[in-house]
Amino acid sequence: MRQDARENRERILAAAEEVFGAHGVTGSTEEVARRAGVGIGTVFRHFPTKGGLIEAALLRHFDHLTARAHALAAEADPAVAWRVLVRAMIESGATKLALISVLTDGRGFPDSAAAAATRLKAAVSDVLRRAQDVGAVRAPVTVEEVYLLIRGLAQASATTPTSPDTLDRAIDVVLTGLSQPTV
Amino acid sequence: MRQDARENRERILAAAEEVFGAHGVTGSTEEVARRAGVGIGTVFRHFPTKGGLIEAALLRHFDHLTARAHALAAEADPAVAWRVLVRAMIESGATKLALISVLTDGRGFPDSAAAAATRLKAAVSDVLRRAQDVGAVRAPVTVEEVYLLIRGLAQASATTPTSPDTLDRAIDVVLTGLSQPTV
DNA sequence: CATTAACCGGAGTCGGGACTCCGATTCTGT
DNA sequence: ACAGAATCGGAGTCCCGACTCCGGTTAATG
């Protein structure tokens, strides 16, 4: 692959994260091209389909989060690791996961993205388990409910303008609810 | 207004709630017409614009929730009222509020819908205040964070197939987090 | 440098969905 | 039952966005 080609690919992916993050899946490919500073044809050569483009952006994002989770699993204090991970997932999701809805909205994406999602879930489970072992999260909590809560806050704060302060307080509510016995 | 016209208007609104609830704003007007059993022209005479149709559906939904909140405010036990209201908002939202994203996704809707949203918020605040007076929710909690949490769970569970059980557990987490002092 | 294979750009095609128009079809008062 | 007005239905228009095509341009190699 030629050097300029690789550079363009990168710029397109970055632009895609911006555009789809801001406008959701409705964002147009042309907008991505414009923001990446390339022609529309270039976008479609790199990613023959809009779906493919979104998939690639998702994959990149998931892999990044997975790496983060792995790093945190090695963290000294599992309770801290847990808080940081949850916060990171919500906050990065708040900007970029508007698109994750696609992933989950009915038809799943093929192979690669699904695989990345699975890897991510495994990594999150790991951090969660450690937190539970230490009592920072109560035992009966499952990854599914955590995911639902995280996705919810991520989507809601991405969809609507939210003050960072409000988001922080909401995250604290969730973390508290996960650690205390249910009322 | 002629009788049949009024009936059609109703059927169209009901169909709109279904369609936009299921497919989000992407749902087509034609699909609404088909499901309402009327021609496309009829839909557009009643609601000259797709936005208008969505707005009308939202308004109806908001007003319904507001009424529910008022009724609950008169409930004997404010703690119970609170739980029921939160649950109702999330669950009805899970089916129908996929469209609420429109309301909040950038440009607000004109007058009527915005006004309905305001009335709803006031009613919710009322129930919340009573719950706080009784100690079922801790005092420093604001309507904003509650809204964020509710919208989040509603959107997330509408967007993605979610088992009722998981949703229930997530709601409990939120309610717990709202009642306990933050960790 | 020259060559050439790979890459870029954007005008053009195609499909889908919002919205319009008007003849056909009902209601409703007398 | 009938006139007349209001309502319906859906074929047709228009625009927008995904995707294709190919002549022009550029990086790499000898």
Side-chain angles (χ1 to χ4, degrees), chain A residues 108-120:
Chain A
F109 266 48
D111 348 294
S112 49
T118 304
R119 283 196 301 276
L120 176 56

Side-chain angles (χ1 to χ4, degrees), chain A residues 2 8 38-39 41-42 45:
Chain A
R2 244 165 62 174
N8 275 341
V38 304
T42 306
R45 186 158 345 85

Side-chain angles (χ1 to χ4, degrees), chain A residues 94 152-170, chain B residues 104 144-145 147-149 151 155:
Chain A
L153 246 26
Q155 277 185 247
S157 60
T159 306
T160 227
T162 307
S163 90
D165 186 59
T166 302
L167 180 57
D168 263 16
R169 296 158 69 86
Chain B
T104 49
E144 270 69 30
E145 56 194 292
Y147 252 56
L148 189 62
L149 288 160
R151 260 213 332 272
Q155 278 184 248

Side-chain angles (χ1 to χ4, degrees), chain A residues 55-124:
Chain A
E55 187 187 346
L58 274 179
L59 201 131
R60 189 198 209 203
H61 190 229
F62 283 174
D63 283 349
H64 179 246
L65 280 178
T66 304
R68 188 81 193 277
H70 279 147
L72 282 170
E75 166 77 27
D77 185 347
V80 172
W82 176 243
R83 298 184 73 91
V84 173
L85 178 60
V86 169
R87 202 168 287 268
M89 287 187 73
I90 293 174
E91 277 165 4
S92 75
T95 325
K96 296 166 191 164
L97 280 200
L99 29 152
I100 202 186
S101 56
V102 197
L103 212 204
T104 49
D105 109 339
R107 72 203 68 287
F109 266 48
D111 348 294
S112 49
T118 304
R119 283 196 301 276
L120 176 56
K121 202 170 207 168
V124 173

Side-chain angles (χ1 to χ4, degrees), chain B residues 5 9-10 12 21 23 26 52 64 70-71 73 75 79 84 91 98 111 129 133-134 148 152 162 164 176-177 181:
Chain B
R9 199 190 137 89
E10 259 317 287
I12 290 171
H23 299 45
T26 342
H64 180 247
H70 280 147
E75 165 77 29
V84 173
E91 275 164 5
D111 349 293
R129 198 173 311 113
D133 287 348
V134 173
L148 189 62
T162 307
T176 302

Side-chain angles (χ1 to χ4, degrees), chain A residues 137-160:
Chain A
V137 177
R138 47 174 225 278
V141 166
T142 68
V143 210
E144 271 68 30
E145 55 194 293
V146 172
Y147 253 55
L148 190 62
L149 289 160
I150 289 182
R151 260 213 331 272
L153 246 26
Q155 277 185 247
S157 60
T159 306
T160 227

